[in-house]
Amino acid sequence: MHSLGIHSGADLKQRSSETLPKASLTDLTHHFGKAGNYYYKIARAEDDRPVEANRVRKSIGAETSFAQDLSDVSQCDLNHKINF
């Protein structure tokens, strides 16, 4: 992808709107091998994968909010670890 000027998701999104929808499946498989078929479909908003509504969780988030909005770090309770 780098040789085509695609270095990030934003680049891919921009390129997909400009060039990938016009690219043939043959062109994409030439550049990306087997993944070319996937890129061809994704650039056209075609995704046939089944939706897995009930799957194993990969992570669980937890957070604690302060009772009032804080305007300065010095207002934080120093007994709680703060990660910035």
Side-chain angles (χ1 to χ4, degrees), residues 14-83:
Q14 180 181 5
R15 290 288 298 260
S16 67
S17 64
E18 294 172 359
T19 58
L20 288 180
K22 299 174 188 172
S24 72
L25 179 57
T26 304
D27 292 337
L28 293 175
T29 52
H30 172 75
H31 284 292
F32 302 113
K34 291 190 285 185
N37 185 44
Y38 173 76
Y39 296 141
Y40 180 85
K41 288 183 176 184
I42 291 300
R44 291 161 178 76
E46 298 174 15
D47 189 354
D48 300 328
R49 294 176 296 174
V51 175
E52 295 181 30
N54 299 317
R55 60 184 180 151
V56 176
R57 270 194 199 130
K58 293 183 180 180
S59 64
I60 298 174
E63 60 186 51
T64 303
S65 297
F66 290 97
Q68 297 176 351
D69 290 342
L70 305 180
S71 59
D72 191 270
V73 175
S74 64
Q75 294 175 310
C76 296
D77 179 357
L78 296 179
N79 293 321
H80 293 90
K81 183 178 180 182
I82 301 170
N83 296 314

